[in-house]
Amino acid sequence: MLNKDINLIEKENCFSKSIEKRIAYQKKHPEADLISLGIGDVSLPVCKPVLKEMKKAIDDLANMKKFPGYGNQLGIKELRKAILDNEYKKYGFSVNEIYVGEGTKTDSTSILELFDKNSTILVSNPSYPIHENGAHILNRKVYKGKVDKEFKMVVPNKKYDLIYLCTPSNPIGNAYTKKELKKWVDYANKNHSVLLIDNVYKPFVRSKDIPDSIYEIKGAKKCAIEFRSFSKECSFTGVRCSYYVIPKEIEKGINKLWDERTINRFNGASYIAQVGALASFKDEAKKENKKHIDTYLRNADYLRKELIKLGFKVIGGINAPYLWCETPDRLESWKAFDLFLKEMNIIVVPGSIFGTSGKYNIRISSLGSMKDSKRAIKRMKEYYEKDY
Ligand code: PLP
């Protein structure tokens, strides 16, 4: 018998429909010069200091004295230690609470295997679809939370066992403040819930009231698991490496249980990826990677200002590479997608993909090039200034 819960993945809730529409349009109009403002991938290369170490790692494969084989299911020791020293020592963690994965997409879903299968799961609406879809695939019960005017999930009145919070957020592009996260931490500790914090966009945080980590919030070590990725910071979207923290304070024996599970379910991230990730903690690499993120943020700032001038309502784009926009005439999101595609030859992401409350929004990304953003804004000006 097949796992029918895979069919619970809402068809609206995936990118394939927009890809199909784009392909059909391009087939009909092969001359169209489409600009994508929809991309979630990066547009800058892996930096040289990281590449240098990865090339050496390839040579290790030819040398049986250095040859990496099986046995690093939880992550290579040096990398786990570098993550601890650079990111988590200041919160009092030990290396046994740090895990290396091959991407937050996988990690943030696989973590459900640590919890009872009857656990109730809360996701935001709108949210990064993978959290909900992953829960369906693993036959878990998923509920959707309510959001405020800024599309941030409101702390519920009733208990949920596991709560996904994405901060800084994909798709909204804003982030929960320390004060807002404190409310979630207090809720979780009061209800014996666990917060699953998707913190992939941490490198984009620039505002003082937005914490780099959930563990800046008092009480978070008792109730929060945090996920981060090398994908955006190091341009590792195709290389695949990530990390996460499971605090021992959540429950006695939690790390032992997870180690056991992981050793039996995973053979570790690629050695070459882990060596590259390790190199990203060198000063030279940190500098290069920060420059990349600053470039995306400059692009976000440009897009944000220009879209506001054009009459869009815009959220985000300050501590994240995404802008959550409402068109001047509040078009339904798929209509806005079609309009951008057909009238301006621009690809955006319809907000409905992320949940029903994204019905009147589109997501615009700054992960592309400034050159493309400028060309896209020029087209939008031509279109909207003609109409408004
Ligand atoms: N979490 C969020 C919120 C994302 O936006 C993405 C990718 O865009 C991921 C996770 C996936 O990260 P990874 O490449 O590490 O699997």
Side-chain angles (χ1 to χ4, degrees), residues 144-360:
K144 305 229 187 164
K146 290 200 176 106
V147 289
D148 64 14
K149 273 194 231 146
E150 291 182 342
F151 294 87
K152 288 180 189 172
M153 189 154 61
V154 177
V155 177
N157 297 324
K158 86 184 240 227
K159 177 191 165 139
Y160 293 92
D161 299 306
L162 302 170
I163 296 129
Y164 280 105
L165 287 181
C166 185
T167 183
S169 160
N170 177 11
I172 314 300
N174 58 6
Y176 289 83
T177 61
K178 288 181 190 169
K179 216 168 145 190
E180 287 161 345
L181 286 172
K182 178 77 175 97
K183 284 189 193 158
W184 278 104
V185 166
D186 290 347
Y187 164 89
N189 281 328
K190 191 171 148 216
N191 290 288
H192 302 290
S193 309
V194 174
L195 304 176
L196 303 172
I197 305 291
D198 184 328
N199 194 217
V200 160
Y201 295 98
K202 175 256 174 184
F204 293 82
V205 170
R206 296 290 179 270
S207 303
K208 283 218 168 77
D209 60 339
I210 307 299
D212 276 341
S213 163
I214 188 70
Y215 304 116
E216 287 185 26
I217 313 299
K218 199 165 171 242
K221 283 172 85 181
K222 289 200 193 96
C223 65
I225 294 176
E226 181 164 274
F227 301 90
R228 288 192 189 159
S229 172
F230 293 95
S231 284
K232 303 287 151 76
E233 186 167 23
C234 305
S235 301
F236 267 26
T237 48
V239 177
R240 314 305 303 144
C241 199
S242 56
Y243 58 96
Y244 52 99
V245 182
I246 304 181
K248 62 175 184 293
E249 287 178 37
I250 291 183
E251 199 173 314
K252 196 164 181 265
I254 191 168
N255 298 98
K256 196 161 171 276
L257 204 61
W258 186 247
D259 293 357
E260 197 66 39
R261 171 269 171 208
T262 302
I263 288 162
N264 282 283
R265 293 271 288 124
F266 185 51
N267 258 334
S270 144
Y271 171 72
I272 300 161
Q274 292 193 71
V275 170
L278 179 60
S280 77
F281 289 107
K282 290 186 169 180
D283 287 345
E284 222 185 324
K286 277 188 192 168
K287 244 188 248 162
E288 292 295 312
N289 286 334
K290 182 172 179 300
K291 267 193 229 162
H292 286 183
I293 303 295
D294 285 342
T295 303
Y296 298 132
L297 284 174
R298 263 198 306 281
N299 196 9
D301 185 56
Y302 167 77
L303 285 166
R304 186 182 154 80
K305 286 178 179 151
E306 293 297 331
L307 289 164
I308 290 171
K309 275 192 227 158
L310 283 167
F312 284 70
K313 266 195 205 161
V314 182
I315 298 177
I318 295 169
N319 295 292
Y322 301 117
L323 299 117
W324 186 245
C325 310
E326 203 181 290
T327 59
D329 40 5
R330 198 170 150 78
L331 275 184
E332 189 278 320
S333 74
W334 279 107
K335 285 200 178 120
F337 174 89
D338 287 337
L339 176 102
F340 271 78
L341 178 62
K342 290 175 188 160
E343 299 294 331
M344 295 170 254
N345 286 178
I346 295 171
I347 312 291
V348 295
V349 181
S352 305
I353 280 181
F354 305 99
T356 47
S357 41
K359 194 173 174 192
Y360 294 104

